[in-house]
Amino acid sequence: MIPADGRVPRGDERPSGPDSRPWILRFARAPDRRQAVPAAEAFYDHQQQIFLPVHGDLLPYMGTHHPTVVDGDPKNPPKLDEGAKD
Amino acid sequence: MPGPILVIAGRDDWPTDRVVKILTDCGAEVFRFDTADFPQQMTIGARIETGHPWSGTLSTAYRTADLAQVEAAYYRTPSTFRFPPEMTEAERQFAQAQARSGIGGIICALECRWVSHPVAMSRAEYKPFQLQQARRCGLRVPATLITNQPAAVREFAARIDGPIITKPIASPMLIEDGQLKTVYTRLLHPSDLKDLSGIDATAHLFQAWVPKAHEVRLTVVGERLLTAEIHAGSAVALEDWRAAYDDLRYQAAEVPAELRQAVLRLMDRLGLRFAACDFVVDLAGAWWFLEANPCGQWDWIQHATGLPIAEAIADELQGIPA
């Protein structure tokens, strides 16, 4: 299950020193937000049990086929990334 | 009339919508919920006794499922239980544990077609376990080291005939200091290994770099193997295709017959009915297993290649043979 506060580890602190910070995190970087695709406005329909569009008639799932790339916004962590295994 | 198909998924997992739509269009009875619905928007009443398995109902304001009649269940990243905000933190943690063991236990006890069973998915998340099982099934796996010892890293790098990579063993992302960051697969240069401070801070994975002709995302649904070649068009994409989606080209393909049997053996060993498996195809055409994602994404592959992955999942849930 995904924790209530999301699946991405989070904290407000700055990175610690080189001896305590995991070595691999020296290669961590903000993802390229130019590849991010904004999610369409949608609402969940309890009868059909799928999301329906707020605007237009294209069902939101029909627009999900862009690879979901994180946009770097910590308030909007990815839900459909390839990296974090569920 | 077949019994209900449970879809246990995060509400915002939109590719699941695609599966639900196919199932309902086929006339299947679907009961979708997110475990976050419990206990405020969903109730459960279940009992077991000698001579009778678990029976009872799951109910929301919109529908009820008879647990004894459940035909199949699709499990895909449900969210954790959500409790009233008035609860204290201690009460919330207590209730969380009770719910996990109670409703989580009932879900796990369902004897139906699973895509896939959550216990199997949980176990299969461990990359070292996957690699061991893949090797046992006859798949090639790159030489891999997991360690927190700097000396072991240097020894491994010296022993491997060629470059090595590092990649996270678990989630590649974190949010710190107000920034969301991710770690992609990194092809290491000798200079990267000069300062290994922090290796001892946790487990790290190192692996021999396999020179790539291309990569393969092999989506397995039951006995169905849906194969997509991923061709990188840049050095960044070649190192880790997740880092440069715009530089990728996809092509539907076929899995070699001997690989097919090995992959199906692996799925059997992992107890999975769905996995998105990553392979490298080397310059001689040999396939190297990298990992199996029990909950991997598939929707963009279907769009790019036309491979009928959503339909395959729906068929598997309905017991329609390949």
Side-chain angles (χ1 to χ4, degrees), chain B residues 214-285:
Chain B
H214 58 269
E215 295 190 58
V216 166
R217 166 52 68 97
L218 177 61
T219 307
V220 188
V221 185
E223 313 297 314
R224 300 164 178 84
L225 273 59
L226 302 127
T227 312
E229 293 178 358
I230 302 178
H231 296 267
S234 69
V236 172
L238 189 70
E239 203 163 314
D240 187 333
W241 53 254
R242 294 170 302 170
Y245 283 100
D246 289 347
D247 300 339
L248 304 177
R249 182 172 60 81
Y250 306 92
Q251 188 175 326
E254 291 292 328
V255 63
E258 68 278 12
L259 258 295
R260 175 185 169 82
Q261 293 310 314
V263 169
L264 290 177
R265 281 197 298 274
L266 175 63
M267 294 292 285
D268 193 45
R269 275 187 169 271
L270 296 177
L272 298 176
R273 300 300 290 171
F274 173 93
C277 302
D278 290 328
F279 286 86
V280 167
V281 178
D282 70 19
L283 303 175

Side-chain angles (χ1 to χ4, degrees), chain A residues 10-75:
Chain A
R10 68 167 66 217
D12 297 328
E13 301 153 293
R14 296 176 59 80
S16 68
D19 291 330
S20 53
R21 184 170 174 79
W23 175 83
I24 195 171
L25 285 179
R26 64 184 63 191
F27 306 120
R29 57 190 170 95
D32 181 359
R33 67 176 58 201
R34 290 171 304 175
Q35 295 187 61
V37 178
E41 269 191 275
F43 67 95
Y44 187 75
D45 180 85
H46 287 277
Q47 294 303 331
Q48 298 187 58
Q49 304 184 92
I50 61 173
F51 271 91
L52 298 179
V54 171
H55 307 292
D57 54 7
L58 188 68
L59 291 169
Y61 74 68
M62 298 172 80
T64 59
H65 41 245
H66 294 284
T68 303
V69 177
V70 288
D71 63 3
D73 180 357
K75 293 178 183 162

Side-chain angles (χ1 to χ4, degrees), chain B:
Chain B
M1 173 84 178
I5 296 172
L6 298 187
V7 174
I8 310 166
R11 191 59 66 68
D12 53 1
D13 187 63
W14 286 1
T16 293
D17 286 14
R18 198 182 292 278
V19 175
V20 168
K21 185 78 164 57
I22 293 170
L23 288 171
T24 51
D25 286 351
C26 291
E29 179 189 347
V30 176
F31 184 104
R32 178 177 181 172
F33 67 94
D34 186 353
T35 33
D37 298 339
F38 185 82
Q40 299 189 82
Q41 297 170 58
M42 188 173 76
T43 60
I44 185 168
R47 56 185 291 176
I48 189 170
E49 52 194 288
T50 305
H52 295 281
W54 282 106
S55 62
T57 56
L58 282 175
S59 298
T60 67
Y62 302 91
R63 52 188 58 80
T64 293
D66 181 343
L67 291 168
Q69 300 298 318
V70 171
E71 288 276 325
Y74 183 47
Y75 191 86
R76 179 135 185 115
T77 60
S79 311
T80 196
F81 309 105
R82 197 163 292 147
F83 297 98
E86 300 80 29
M87 277 187 175
T88 66
E89 181 58 20
E91 290 166 346
R92 192 192 63 74
Q93 288 184 25
F94 179 85
Q96 171 77 22
Q98 302 299 315
R100 186 178 184 87
S101 188
I103 191 168
I106 295 289
I107 289 171
C108 286
L110 288 174
E111 293 174 347
C112 64
R113 279 189 303 280
W114 277 97
V115 181
S116 297
H117 195 285
V119 171
M121 292 174 72
S122 179
R123 190 175 66 152
E125 287 291 347
Y126 293 102
K127 285 194 175 95
F129 179 68
Q130 295 177 4
L131 289 168
Q132 170 75 340
Q133 298 306 318
R135 189 192 66 79
R136 281 180 163 275
C137 293
L139 295 169
R140 287 185 185 84
V141 299
T144 302
L145 170 73
I146 292 174
T147 189
N148 73 331
Q149 300 172 309
V153 178
R154 292 196 176 93
E155 189 273 332
F156 181 74
R159 192 170 61 80
I160 296 297
D161 181 22
I164 62 171
I165 61 100
T166 187
K167 62 181 180 180
I169 311 173
S171 169
M173 269 174 284
L174 83 166
I175 298 167
E176 62 179 358
D177 196 20
Q179 270 197 306
L180 189 149
K181 301 172 185 172
T182 190
V183 185
Y184 295 114
T185 297
R186 167 97 175 176
L187 183 59
L188 294 170
H189 303 283
S191 60
D192 291 325
L193 300 179
K194 283 183 179 163
D195 176 11
L196 293 178
S197 320
I199 286 285
D200 56 1
T202 187
H204 286 76
L205 183 149
F206 298 86
Q207 198 165 64
W209 166 259
V210 179
K212 302 173 184 176
H214 58 269
E215 295 190 58
V216 166
R217 166 52 68 97
L218 177 61
T219 307
V220 188
V221 185
E223 313 297 314
R224 300 164 178 84
L225 273 59
L226 302 127
T227 312
E229 293 178 358
I230 302 178
H231 296 267
S234 69
V236 172
L238 189 70
E239 203 163 314
D240 187 333
W241 53 254
R242 294 170 302 170
Y245 283 100
D246 289 347
D247 300 339
L248 304 177
R249 182 172 60 81
Y250 306 92
Q251 188 175 326
E254 291 292 328
V255 63
E258 68 278 12
L259 258 295
R260 175 185 169 82
Q261 293 310 314
V263 169
L264 290 177
R265 281 197 298 274
L266 175 63
M267 294 292 285
D268 193 45
R269 275 187 169 271
L270 296 177
L272 298 176
R273 300 300 290 171
F274 173 93
C277 302
D278 290 328
F279 286 86
V280 167
V281 178
D282 70 19
L283 303 175
W287 288 43
W288 294 79
F289 173 85
L290 295 183
E291 60 186 63
N293 308 297
C295 209
Q297 299 303 322
W298 47 267
D299 194 44
W300 99 103
I301 289 285
Q302 171 153 359
H303 177 71
T305 61
L307 291 167
I309 301 172
E311 290 77 3
I313 295 169
D315 283 352
E316 180 68 15
L317 287 166
Q318 294 177 97
I320 299 170

